[in-house]
Amino acid sequence: MEKINRHDMVKKIVDNLLEALFDTVMEELENGNMINFQNYFSIKPELRKPKKARNVVTGEDMIIPERYQFKVKAGLLLKQACDCFNDKSKSDNDI
Protein backbone atom coordinates (compact mmCIF):
# COMPACT_ATOMS: atom_id res chain seq x y z
CA MET A 1 0.00 0.00 0.00
CA GLU A 2 1.34 3.41 -1.02
CA LYS A 3 1.79 6.00 1.73
CA ILE A 4 -0.17 9.19 1.04
CA ASN A 5 1.78 12.38 1.56
CA ARG A 6 -0.26 14.90 3.59
CA HIS A 7 1.07 17.82 1.52
CA ASP A 8 0.02 16.17 -1.74
CA MET A 9 -3.43 15.39 -0.33
CA VAL A 10 -3.97 18.99 0.83
CA LYS A 11 -2.71 20.32 -2.52
CA LYS A 12 -5.16 18.09 -4.39
CA ILE A 13 -8.07 19.22 -2.19
CA VAL A 14 -7.18 22.89 -2.68
CA ASP A 15 -6.77 22.41 -6.45
CA ASN A 16 -10.21 20.76 -6.66
CA LEU A 17 -11.77 23.50 -4.51
CA LEU A 18 -10.29 26.32 -6.62
CA GLU A 19 -11.30 24.62 -9.86
CA ALA A 20 -14.89 24.27 -8.62
CA LEU A 21 -14.89 27.91 -7.44
CA PHE A 22 -13.63 29.28 -10.76
CA ASP A 23 -16.01 27.05 -12.73
CA THR A 24 -18.90 28.49 -10.71
CA VAL A 25 -17.64 32.06 -11.16
CA MET A 26 -17.32 31.58 -14.93
CA GLU A 27 -20.80 30.06 -15.14
CA GLU A 28 -22.36 32.95 -13.20
CA LEU A 29 -20.58 35.57 -15.32
CA GLU A 30 -21.64 33.80 -18.52
CA ASN A 31 -25.25 34.05 -17.25
CA GLY A 32 -24.83 37.81 -16.73
CA ASN A 33 -24.70 37.70 -12.94
CA MET A 34 -22.48 39.80 -10.71
CA ILE A 35 -19.88 38.10 -8.50
CA ASN A 36 -19.03 39.68 -5.15
CA PHE A 37 -16.20 38.52 -2.90
CA GLN A 38 -17.18 40.63 0.09
CA ASN A 39 -14.49 43.19 1.04
CA TYR A 40 -12.12 41.91 -1.67
CA PHE A 41 -13.57 42.65 -5.12
CA SER A 42 -16.60 42.40 -7.34
CA ILE A 43 -16.94 41.52 -11.02
CA LYS A 44 -19.92 42.30 -13.20
CA PRO A 45 -20.61 42.15 -16.92
CA GLU A 46 -21.32 45.59 -18.33
CA LEU A 47 -22.69 46.43 -21.77
CA ARG A 48 -20.41 48.78 -23.75
CA LYS A 49 -22.02 50.96 -26.40
CA PRO A 50 -20.88 50.73 -30.02
CA LYS A 51 -18.15 53.24 -30.85
CA LYS A 52 -16.30 54.66 -33.81
CA ALA A 53 -12.68 53.68 -34.31
CA ARG A 54 -9.99 53.87 -36.95
CA ASN A 55 -7.76 51.08 -38.23
CA VAL A 56 -4.28 52.50 -37.59
CA VAL A 57 -2.72 50.49 -40.42
CA THR A 58 -5.18 51.29 -43.22
CA GLY A 59 -6.73 54.47 -41.83
CA GLU A 60 -10.18 53.00 -42.50
CA ASP A 61 -13.07 54.11 -40.26
CA MET A 62 -14.85 51.28 -38.50
CA ILE A 63 -17.54 50.68 -35.90
CA ILE A 64 -16.84 48.51 -32.89
CA PRO A 65 -20.16 46.82 -32.08
CA GLU A 66 -21.72 46.86 -28.62
CA ARG A 67 -20.41 44.10 -26.42
CA TYR A 68 -20.16 43.01 -22.83
CA GLN A 69 -16.96 43.53 -20.86
CA PHE A 70 -16.24 42.76 -17.24
CA LYS A 71 -15.94 45.57 -14.76
CA VAL A 72 -13.81 44.75 -11.72
CA LYS A 73 -14.09 46.89 -8.61
CA ALA A 74 -11.69 46.59 -5.67
CA GLY A 75 -13.18 46.10 -2.22
CA LEU A 76 -12.12 47.55 1.10
CA LEU A 77 -9.43 44.99 1.95
CA LEU A 78 -7.72 45.26 -1.44
CA LYS A 79 -7.83 49.05 -1.24
CA GLN A 80 -6.24 48.93 2.22
CA ALA A 81 -3.53 46.57 0.98
CA CYS A 82 -2.79 48.93 -1.89
CA ASP A 83 -2.64 51.89 0.51
CA CYS A 84 -0.15 50.00 2.70
CA PHE A 85 1.97 49.25 -0.36
CA ASN A 86 1.82 52.91 -1.44
CA ASP A 87 2.84 54.07 2.04
CA LYS A 88 5.75 51.64 2.05
CA SER A 89 6.84 52.75 -1.42
CA LYS A 90 6.77 56.40 -0.36
CA SER A 91 8.92 55.69 2.69
CA ASP A 92 11.40 53.68 0.59
CA ASN A 93 11.73 56.58 -1.86
CA ASP A 94 12.29 59.10 0.94
CA ILE A 95 15.55 57.42 1.93
Side-chain angles (χ1 to χ4, degrees):
M1 183 176 202
E2 185 178 324
K3 184 177 179 184
I4 298 175
N5 183 342
R6 179 184 162 107
H7 174 74
D8 291 339
M9 187 173 71
V10 170
K11 184 181 180 310
K12 187 173 184 176
I13 291 170
V14 170
D15 287 346
N16 289 338
L17 176 71
L18 288 175
E19 185 176 344
L21 172 69
F22 289 124
D23 286 346
T24 302
V25 167
M26 292 296 292
E27 184 178 318
E28 289 300 314
L29 290 173
E30 287 171 357
N31 290 330
N33 298 323
M34 181 175 146
I35 302 296
N36 186 13
F37 289 92
Q38 195 70 36
N39 293 323
Y40 289 98
F41 62 90
S42 62
I43 308 171
K44 70 177 181 177
E46 194 169 84
L47 184 63
R48 301 288 185 194
K49 296 178 183 177
K51 61 182 180 179
K52 295 179 183 178
R54 183 180 307 269
N55 183 325
V56 294
V57 175
T58 65
E60 178 184 354
D61 288 338
M62 55 192 296
I63 300 292
I64 299 175
E66 74 177 12
R67 65 187 190 269
Y68 280 93
Q69 288 184 325
F70 295 116
K71 181 176 182 180
V72 179
K73 184 176 179 184
L76 179 65
L77 294 176
L78 286 182
K79 289 178 183 178
Q80 288 174 346
C82 193
D83 289 342
C84 289
F85 179 75
N86 287 331
D87 292 343
K88 182 180 177 208
S89 294
K90 286 178 186 176
S91 66
D92 289 348
N93 290 334
D94 291 341
I95 296 175

